[in-house]
Amino acid sequence: MKRAFSLLAVLVITLAACAAPAPVQLGPDGKPLPTVHRISAFEKDKITYRMVDSINELRRAAGAPPVTLNAQLTAAAATHSRDMHIQNRAWHFGSDGSSPLDRVARVGYSGVMLGENISETFETELETLAAWMEQKDTRDVVLDRRATQIGFAWYQEENGKIWWTMLMGS
């Protein structure tokens, strides 16, 4: 009896794994519509390093030197991600009128801020990076050969929307 039940349980699990995946919904442009990505507690500590590693791979392929994570740039990025959420718009100015240059100065960054990429999305950090690489202006920030340091942070709302901020400096 136990053997038959065990065999039945394995069969049910196997068949469940074979179920057809949900169909991908396409937008008017023919590309898949984004799905909500919820950042799990397990992922929180890994996202930043996955992003930095991915950026460094792209930089290596482009012949640019690697960047290292900078705590001050990351603090400025985190502040701006939360502020974009409060303002409910992705743009480079803070609710107090601050610019990216103002924000990095406030956290005591002594280097030169070279650029800032931002995004408002429901997608993962790597999908966000892919979108940044599709546009010349944001790709230029990622691949700036002068950059030696990076700051990267996000803020996720209850509904799943994620506000991403990346700062490059030297």
Side-chain angles (χ1 to χ4, degrees):
M1 180 78 147
K2 286 183 184 178
R3 185 175 181 172
F5 180 73
S6 297
L7 185 58
L8 181 60
V10 169
L11 182 60
V12 167
I13 292 170
T14 303
L15 289 175
C18 295
V24 175
Q25 292 183 328
L26 300 178
D29 59 358
K31 293 183 180 179
L33 291 173
T35 58
V36 175
H37 174 72
R38 298 246 179 236
I39 298 172
S40 69
F42 176 76
E43 278 185 296
K44 285 184 179 182
D45 294 336
K46 296 173 178 21
I47 288 174
T48 299
Y49 297 105
R50 241 187 342 249
M51 181 63 114
V52 173
D53 289 346
S54 297
I55 286 171
N56 278 332
E57 281 301 311
L58 291 168
R59 291 175 62 81
R60 184 187 59 75
V67 291
T68 58
L69 193 60
N70 177 278
Q72 293 165 319
L73 289 175
T74 297
T79 298
H80 192 55
S81 291
R82 183 173 284 276
D83 193 43
M84 287 189 296
H85 151 71
I86 291 167
Q87 296 181 73
N88 196 32
R89 64 178 168 177
W91 75 322
H92 294 283
F93 294 95
S95 56
D96 62 355
S98 62
S99 71
L101 292 170
D102 296 329
R103 289 190 298 277
V104 298
R106 281 183 193 158
V107 297
Y109 183 66
S110 60
V112 176
M113 198 280 298
L114 298 170
E116 177 181 69
N117 284 346
I118 57 173
S119 181
E120 165 193 8
T121 184
F122 290 94
E123 299 173 314
T124 69
E125 74 282 0
L126 297 181
E127 290 167 313
T128 299
L129 177 57
W132 287 339
M133 293 303 289
E134 288 177 6
Q135 303 295 321
K136 182 181 180 347
D137 58 340
T138 51
R139 181 177 54 248
D140 287 349
V141 173
V142 172
L143 300 178
D144 189 331
R145 292 176 183 275
R146 299 170 297 165
T148 58
Q149 298 175 322
I150 185 173
F152 177 73
W154 72 93
Y155 178 80
Q156 186 165 37
E157 296 179 358
E158 289 294 320
N159 67 6
K161 184 189 291 183
I162 309 169
W163 302 88
W164 302 100
T165 305
M166 181 199 76
L167 289 160
M168 287 290 197
S170 66

